């Protein structure tokens, strides 16, 4: 009576399930699994690939990836949020921190141009994990794996102090000395030999500050299109944004994809196309080399000739688009970042006009970006001024080059230029630089970004930049003082007040300033010779597209796995 029964009244053997290896991102504790099959439904229905499933019957039933291979989806991390019992948890975050120790900051993702709503959980200065927030207009409740698991790259290979190159070697130095070296270089250089390139992760504020600085130095060589995409703000805002909006994809009743692979360039947006495709009657046509998109499509051709043929009204798919009430034409950077990019853009706009895709009540002309900072840069007009040179023209021609986090250009072509690199990681730009000025990453500053559909969004600071690193706009403001060209603001609110005065639409956070559908008719007049060659997506490795990703050990492991075809034996 006092101590109860001395043995268990449970006679059956307890059921134990082995933990599975399903890749480097998701950790399994399968004893917890209650067979609700939410993960199975997610991978099959939303991600579009049957990777998880239930095998066995009765008490032997278990969830597994059949052959114990790694999962291959770019959205697989979402099963962590879906699992109600913690049978699937985050492998990189496991045992790193307790949730109640973490400071939670609502922010925006910059790994692609979708601008997914995220929550950054940090402890002290370190970002410990990144989770999605619900935003029905942009990412619903999903985020891509790059967005979710990038965080270890935010603390490795960071630039935390200024460097100056002396006798061929980079030497750590003080801000004053670094600025003095730049001042010396500027004083020896003619304004037309000074250039500035804004990178893919550059926010609106620092791009604006750099634009003002370059204007004060008398240089018109500014560009935010590292890849040389043929997009020009002079053609109107509708010519370079995703006009139908991401939510508008669900209204589309025919889709044409030109030179883009949305699965790698904007995984969450691709899930939205798949969502619309699953509801039925969505013909999808593709021009270019795409591969598996996770939904069915009709291959219409490989390059510009097929596009021209379609724009001239030939082929069955032209009639499909013509009959559709909401035709959607997606133009990717793979089609625009070519020598004939402007002519391709013109043909796409001509097709949009021919099938009545750009009208007052529906603008189905959509440019899909893959760089978070691009639309903001185009909105600011951070492109060559009259007589100014673009990125291709600057390489090899400039004597002094400012790189604002620009790492995706060919550094070998910079020639003997004096390179000033303002950035966060020891990537290609830093290796080439003569002066390195350490900046803040997207989790370390309040910054404005404009996503591919033209939606203005703001990140929030979750922690402070390491060491002596400072926010990019503050670096440019301090530098302008040393150069004797003081910029007209001393704080972020002052900078924003001036910015909003010039570009009022940037003050409307989380709103899309719609492009004018009539601009598409102007774009359709763009002529030029079309070259041969297949349209290919600019994203060859989904996991290593920017300096933060390249500094991440988790992303490196995913990339190596992807190259090996996800065939790694269970650990």
């Amino acid at each position: 009576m006092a101590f109860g029964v001395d043995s268990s009244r449970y006679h059956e053997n307890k059921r134990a399930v082995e933990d599975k290896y399903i890749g480097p991102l998701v950790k399994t504790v399968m004893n917890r699994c209650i067979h609700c099959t939410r993960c199975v439904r997610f991978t099959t229905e939303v991600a579009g690939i049957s990777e998880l499933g239930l095998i066995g019957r009765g008490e032997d039933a278990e969830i597994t990836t059949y052959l114990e291979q790694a999962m291959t989806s770019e959205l697989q991390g979402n099963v962590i949020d879906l699992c109600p019992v913690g049978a699937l948890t985050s492998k990189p975050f496991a045992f790193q921190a307790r949730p109640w120790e973490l400071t939670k900051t609502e922010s925006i993702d910059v790994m692609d141009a979708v601008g997914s709503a995220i929550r950054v959980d940090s402890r002290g200065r370190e970002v410990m994990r990144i989770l999605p927030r619900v935003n029905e207009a942009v990412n619903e409740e999903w985020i891509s794996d790059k967005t979710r698991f990038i965080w270890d790259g935010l603390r490795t290979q960071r630039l935390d102090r200024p460097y100056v190159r002396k006798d061929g070697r980079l030497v750590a130095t003080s801000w004053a000395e670094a600025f003095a070296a730049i001042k010396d270089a500027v004083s020896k250089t003619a304004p037309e030999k000074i250039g500035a390139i804004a990178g893919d992760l550059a926010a609106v504020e620092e791009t604006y500050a750099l634009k003002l600085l370059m204007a004060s130095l008398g240089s018109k060589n500014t560009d935010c299109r590292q890849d040389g995409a043929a997009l020009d703000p002079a053609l109107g805002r509708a010519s370079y944004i995703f006009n139908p909006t991401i939510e508008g994809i669900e209204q589309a009743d025919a889709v044409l994809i030109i030179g883009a692979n949305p699965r790698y360039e904007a995984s969450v947006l691709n899930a939205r196309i798949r969502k619309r495709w699953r509801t039925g009657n969505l013909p999808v046509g593709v021009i270019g080399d795409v591969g598996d998109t996770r939904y069915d499509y009709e291959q219409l051709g490989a390059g510009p000739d097929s596009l021209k043929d379609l724009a001239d009204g030939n082929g069955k798919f032209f009639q499909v688009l013509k009959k559709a009430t909401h035709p959607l034409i997606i133009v990717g950077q793979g089609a625009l970042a070519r020598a004939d990019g402007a002519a391709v853009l013109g043909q796409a706009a001509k097709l949009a006009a021919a099938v009545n895709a750009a009208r007052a009540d529906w603008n189905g002309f959509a440019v899909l970006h893959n760089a978070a900072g691009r639309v903001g840069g185009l909105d600011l007009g951070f492109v060559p001024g009259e007589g100014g040179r673009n990125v291709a023209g600057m390489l090899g021609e400039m004597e002094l080059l400012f790189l604002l986090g620009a790492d995706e250009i060919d550094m070998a072509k910079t020639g003997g230029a004096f390179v000033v690199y303002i950035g966060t990681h020891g990537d290609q730009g830093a290796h080439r630089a003569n002066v390195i000025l350490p900046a803040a990453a997207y989790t370390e500053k309040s910054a404005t970004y404009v996503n591919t559909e033209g939606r203005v969004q703001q990140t929030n600071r979750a922690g402070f930049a390491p060491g002596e690193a400072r926010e990019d706009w503050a670096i440019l403001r301090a530098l302008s003082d040393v150069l004797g060209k003081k910029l007209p603001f001393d704080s972020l609110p002052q900078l924003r007040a001036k910015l909003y005065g010039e570009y009022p639409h940037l003050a409307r956070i989380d709103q899309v300033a719609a492009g004018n559908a009539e601009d598409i008719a102007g774009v359709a007049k763009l002529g030029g010779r079309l070259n041969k060659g297949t349209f290919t997506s600019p994203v060859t490795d989904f996991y290593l597209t920017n300096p933060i990703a390249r500094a991440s050990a988790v992303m490196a492991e995913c990339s190596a796995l992807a190259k090996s075809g996800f065939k790694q034996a269970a650990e």
Side-chain angles (χ1 to χ4, degrees):
M1 289 294 287
F3 298 107
V5 185
D6 66 339
S7 58
S8 167
R9 293 186 296 180
Y10 192 89
H11 295 302
E12 272 56 19
N13 290 328
K14 284 199 173 162
R15 173 177 178 275
V17 186
E18 259 181 40
D19 293 342
K20 310 283 184 292
Y21 170 78
I22 60 172
L25 302 179
V26 182
K27 173 178 182 244
T28 59
V29 189
M30 292 323 269
N31 269 335
R32 298 171 176 171
C33 181
I34 56 167
H35 302 166
C36 67
T37 64
R38 286 168 86 161
C39 53
V40 180
R41 283 194 57 196
F42 172 80
T43 53
T44 313
E45 295 174 20
V46 180
I49 174 163
S50 298
E51 290 193 298
L52 286 172
L54 193 91
I55 60 169
R57 298 171 64 179
E59 70 168 26
D60 297 325
E62 43 188 287
I63 301 272
T64 174
T65 54
Y66 306 117
L67 302 173
E68 290 222 9
Q69 273 188 4
M71 287 166 71
T72 61
S73 171
E74 301 73 44
L75 297 166
Q76 59 175 290
N78 291 296
V79 299
I80 297 165
D81 299 330
L82 287 173
C83 185
V85 290
L88 303 173
T89 54
S90 171
K91 204 176 243 182
F93 177 67
F95 311 121
Q96 297 288 316
R98 297 288 182 205
W100 58 85
E101 304 171 339
L102 303 175
T103 309
K104 299 160 185 66
T105 312
E106 298 195 343
S107 191
I108 295 298
D109 171 56
V110 298
M111 292 299 118
D112 52 29
V114 177
S116 304
I118 57 171
R119 191 185 90 192
V120 180
D121 287 4
S122 53
R123 184 175 62 192
R125 284 194 166 197
E126 286 192 359
V127 172
M128 302 306 286
R129 69 172 172 185
I130 291 172
L131 299 172
R133 285 187 295 129
V134 176
N135 183 343
E136 292 297 345
V138 182
N139 59 316
E140 297 176 287
E141 58 263 68
W142 319 123
I143 51 173
S144 77
D145 292 342
K146 193 161 45 173
T147 302
R148 185 185 298 267
F149 296 107
I150 197 82
W151 48 268
D152 65 319
L154 287 164
R155 53 182 174 223
T156 45
Q157 297 187 0
R158 283 303 295 269
L159 302 171
D160 58 356
R161 65 191 64 152
Y163 288 86
V164 172
R165 194 175 289 278
K166 292 178 181 167
D167 306 324
R169 294 184 56 138
L170 285 167
V171 183
T173 181
S174 65
W175 281 101
E177 204 177 322
F179 284 163
I182 298 169
K183 183 181 183 182
D184 185 43
V186 170
S187 64
K188 294 180 193 160
T189 313
E192 59 275 11
K193 289 288 182 187
I194 300 176
I197 301 172
D200 290 352
L201 303 182
V204 169
E205 285 83 355
E206 54 254 31
T207 309
Y208 179 62
L210 185 58
K211 184 185 177 189
L212 294 181
L213 180 62
M214 294 303 285
S216 69
L217 291 172
S219 166
K220 290 184 176 166
N221 307 314
T222 56
D223 205 348
C224 63
R225 305 159 302 187
Q226 285 186 93
D227 52 8
L231 293 166
D232 189 349
L235 296 167
R237 197 165 195 246
S239 72
Y240 60 83
I241 63 171
F242 199 93
N243 289 292
T245 70
I246 296 171
E247 216 171 3
I249 291 172
E250 296 186 21
Q251 278 181 274
D253 46 9
V255 176
L256 174 67
I257 299 173
I258 305 165
N261 181 347
R263 187 180 140 202
Y264 290 138
E265 292 169 40
S267 310
V268 177
L269 184 141
N270 193 56
R272 187 81 79 145
I273 300 176
R274 180 181 155 78
K275 177 183 177 183
R276 168 64 190 88
W277 173 80
R278 284 191 73 236
T279 59
N281 349 332
L282 182 70
V284 181
V286 167
I287 299 178
D289 178 21
V290 170
D292 181 10
T293 53
R294 308 292 198 218
Y295 40 82
D296 300 336
Y297 62 84
E298 185 187 340
Q299 187 76 45
L300 303 174
D305 296 345
S306 314
L307 175 61
K308 186 175 188 319
D309 198 39
L310 201 59
D312 291 341
N314 303 324
K316 241 184 347 199
F317 206 81
F318 179 82
Q319 295 306 325
V320 172
L321 289 168
K322 186 106 176 126
K323 285 183 191 139
T325 51
H326 296 103
L328 172 58
I329 296 168
I330 299 176
V331 189
Q333 301 305 302
L336 301 175
R338 299 161 42 111
D340 59 349
V344 171
L345 185 68
Q347 289 295 334
K350 185 179 158 192
L351 173 61
V355 300
N356 197 20
R359 49 183 200 262
D361 62 325
W362 168 260
N363 187 346
F365 184 79
V367 176
L368 181 64
H369 290 272
N370 49 16
R374 185 71 50 85
V375 180
L378 292 168
D379 272 354
L380 294 173
F382 198 80
V383 291
E386 207 174 317
R389 290 174 176 269
N390 62 8
V391 169
M394 281 189 237
L395 296 179
E397 295 294 322
M398 296 293 123
E399 288 171 20
L400 175 59
L401 203 52
F402 287 95
L403 299 182
L404 185 59
D407 290 279
E408 318 302 324
I409 55 173
D410 186 353
M411 297 297 165
K413 290 186 180 165
T414 52
F418 185 92
V419 176
V420 178
Y421 179 74
I422 304 169
T424 56
H425 285 72
D427 211 71
Q428 291 148 3
H431 285 293
R432 168 62 188 86
N434 296 73
V435 176
I436 295 175
L437 305 176
Y442 73 106
T443 53
E444 295 153 5
K445 60 189 175 189
S446 170
T448 308
Y449 287 91
V450 187
N451 79 349
T452 189
E453 56 180 351
R455 184 181 299 274
V456 182
Q457 301 175 305
Q458 256 179 20
T459 63
N460 285 314
R461 176 192 275 156
F464 287 89
E468 293 175 42
R470 295 290 175 265
E471 292 184 35
D472 312 60
W473 70 265
I475 296 171
L476 291 161
R477 162 68 181 77
L479 176 62
S480 68
D481 217 353
V482 175
L483 297 177
K485 309 279 186 191
K486 189 172 167 184
L487 293 176
F489 48 80
D490 296 325
S491 65
L492 191 57
Q494 284 177 4
L495 184 157
R496 285 193 174 144
K498 190 163 169 47
L499 175 69
Y500 298 158
E502 272 187 69
Y503 306 98
H505 74 278
L506 292 172
R508 296 195 283 278
I509 304 299
D510 207 35
Q511 290 181 27
V512 180
N516 185 351
E518 290 161 20
D519 292 342
I520 305 299
V523 182
K525 296 192 180 86
L526 285 176
R529 239 184 92 247
L530 291 166
N531 301 342
K532 294 275 182 269
T534 308
F535 293 142
T536 52
S537 168
V539 179
T540 47
D541 190 335
F542 169 75
Y543 297 103
L544 303 178
T545 52
N546 60 46
I548 306 176
R550 289 189 284 268
S552 161
V554 177
M555 292 295 110
E557 190 179 346
C558 291
S559 169
L561 254 181
K563 286 195 181 88
S564 71
F566 295 95
K567 289 180 173 55
Q568 181 178 331
E571 267 119 59

